[in-house]
Amino acid sequence: MADVAEKAGVSRALVSIIFRNQAGAGRETRERVLRVADEIGYRPDSAARLLARGRSRTLGVMFAVHQTFHTDLITGIYPEAERLGYDVLLSGSTQGRSEAKAVEALLSHRCEAVILLGPDAQPGYLEELGQRTVTVSVSRRVPQAHVDFVHSAEGKGVRQAMDYLVELGHRRIVHIDGGRGPGSAERRRAYRAAMRRHGLEDQARVIPGRHTEDSGVETGRLLMAERDSGLPLPTAVLAGNDRCAMGLLMSLTRAGVEVPRDLSVVGYDDSHLSHLMPIGLTTVRQDAVLMAEHAVRFAVERLENGELPPREAVLDPKLVVRGTSGPAPAEQARRPGRPGPL
């Protein structure tokens, strides 16, 4: 700012007035100062001004680099934060960079609040973080931690998928578990409950997995090895998320299994990649934009009123039917929804 003032032949105070867009400078002087600033590449440091007032007006977002659904959430976070007058700073967790390190990086850059996308942290850590700063957890609910939560009704989404598959005549429905991934425990419980409700408890099978493509590929290899040993394939698979479902589809395609003629596949999330595949993925849609908007508003509202009690937003999911699901192979001639032999 001093360099601009010197080159424009005005005081530093006048330069400050002009960049704050306040009255006190003539039109010609204002244009000259702005022209000089442009020539020397000066840009007002809004962050420094905010920090001088004790605010950064920046929301930190911790996300997992390889989770495509987190990309969709981030896409929704930016416009809502901008609408409310906040900047966004991202910090990613990877296999070699822990969530805690990603969060500490955000705090070291003076973020006023942190939004955690699908955190894998222990309840104690979330509780401690919530005591240190305004914290919102997206896609994972930890009742013991006093932070705000935004997630979809996982059980309702799984019930929609399971009812749909049973109506198509499927009985041998396998679930690939998401391990410790966000929403996995709820989806696993809902799958088992749905199998019981449809009288298929003895057919229930949960295959351990993760929210990764590799997990889907591994499950595909397992099912192919079982088929080669004489065991029947399941007629449908409910994957832990879209990434897992995509890995499964790749594995099945390589083995010559035709989807959905031989086996139906359903994912979870409806990430932006789910409809870009050669065969569109049937999946349970979580509204990423609405989840992002709730998370940003929760953070901003708590910054403005720290006395608010912990809040929770539970959003309705929706089954999206595309090309990876169809009637069960042995039930194609039967009326949809009519039970067949187990």
Side-chain angles (χ1 to χ4, degrees):
M1 196 179 293
D3 292 339
V4 173
E6 181 179 359
K7 189 167 183 178
V10 298
S11 69
R12 188 180 184 284
L14 187 58
V15 172
S16 178
I17 287 172
I18 291 171
F19 278 116
R20 293 200 305 272
N21 202 27
Q22 294 179 338
R27 183 177 60 83
E28 184 179 337
T29 301
R30 183 180 298 274
E31 290 177 353
R32 184 170 75 253
V33 167
L34 294 176
R35 185 174 61 254
V36 168
D38 187 58
E39 290 172 358
I40 69 174
Y42 172 77
R43 295 291 182 274
D45 191 341
S46 57
R49 290 205 306 269
L50 287 168
L51 287 174
R53 301 176 200 164
R55 295 289 305 273
S56 71
R57 294 194 73 84
T58 300
L59 305 177
V61 178
M62 188 283 295
F63 69 106
V65 170
H66 298 296
Q67 286 295 350
T68 54
F69 186 63
H70 290 185
T71 305
D72 298 341
L73 289 167
I74 292 168
T75 301
I77 285 173
Y78 272 109
E80 184 66 7
E82 183 177 353
R83 186 183 73 83
L84 296 174
Y86 282 77
D87 288 329
V88 174
L89 185 64
L90 303 178
S91 186
S93 64
T94 65
Q95 189 171 4
R97 188 174 193 248
S98 68
E99 291 183 358
K101 182 172 287 187
V103 169
E104 290 305 317
L106 295 171
L107 297 178
S108 70
H109 283 83
R110 299 177 184 263
C111 291
E112 292 189 278
V114 291
I115 298 173
L116 311 178
L117 306 186
D120 190 34
Q122 295 296 322
Y125 174 77
L126 286 179
E127 171 69 20
E128 185 267 337
L129 184 61
Q131 298 293 332
R132 293 171 60 192
T133 190
V134 171
T135 304
V136 182
S137 174
V138 179
S139 293
R140 185 181 178 214
R141 179 178 180 270
V142 180
Q144 304 94 320
H146 292 283
V147 302
D148 293 328
F149 299 103
V150 178
H151 60 96
S152 68
E154 309 283 358
K156 184 178 292 187
V158 170
R159 283 195 299 274
Q160 290 179 25
M162 294 295 291
D163 290 350
Y164 163 73
L165 290 172
V166 172
E167 287 173 3
L168 289 175
H170 292 278
R171 299 294 176 264
R172 295 193 307 276
I173 307 171
V174 168
H175 175 51
I176 307 176
D177 186 26
R180 293 183 55 190
S184 296
E186 293 86 352
R187 295 171 197 177
R188 181 170 57 248
R189 285 195 294 267
Y191 161 78
R192 292 189 181 280
M195 292 294 277
R196 286 195 301 270
R197 182 162 51 87
H198 288 291
L200 302 173
E201 186 172 7
D202 60 337
Q203 300 270 10
R205 182 185 182 188
V206 176
I207 298 177
R210 302 172 304 284
H211 283 171
T212 65
E213 292 85 358
D214 286 346
S215 179
V217 170
E218 292 166 5
T219 298
R221 290 172 179 165
L222 171 65
L223 295 178
M224 293 305 100
E226 292 178 349
R227 182 191 65 175
D228 293 342
S229 67
L231 294 176
L233 282 174
T235 64
V237 175
L238 173 64
N241 74 343
D242 288 351
R243 290 181 63 197
C244 180
M246 291 174 190
L248 175 63
L249 287 170
M250 288 188 290
S251 185
L252 295 175
T253 300
R254 290 170 186 161
V257 176
E258 187 172 329
V259 175
R261 188 195 67 184
D262 302 326
L263 189 153
S264 290
V265 176
V266 178
Y268 204 108
D269 283 343
D270 195 27
S271 60
H272 65 276
L273 296 179
S274 62
H275 60 282
L276 300 179
M277 303 172 59
I279 305 177
L281 177 66
T282 295
T283 184
V284 177
R285 182 174 188 263
Q286 298 191 87
D287 193 329
V289 172
L290 196 56
M291 293 174 75
E293 290 173 351
H294 272 82
V296 171
R297 286 199 293 269
F298 273 5
V300 171
E301 289 167 3
R302 188 169 294 284
L303 285 171
E304 296 173 355
N305 182 5
E307 301 303 316
L308 288 172
R311 294 162 300 168
E312 182 175 359
V314 184
L315 308 181
D316 283 336
K318 181 181 180 181
L319 178 68
V320 180
V321 176
R322 297 193 181 100
T324 60
S325 58
E331 301 287 338
Q332 290 179 4
R334 292 182 177 273
R335 186 178 63 195
R338 182 179 176 183
L342 300 180

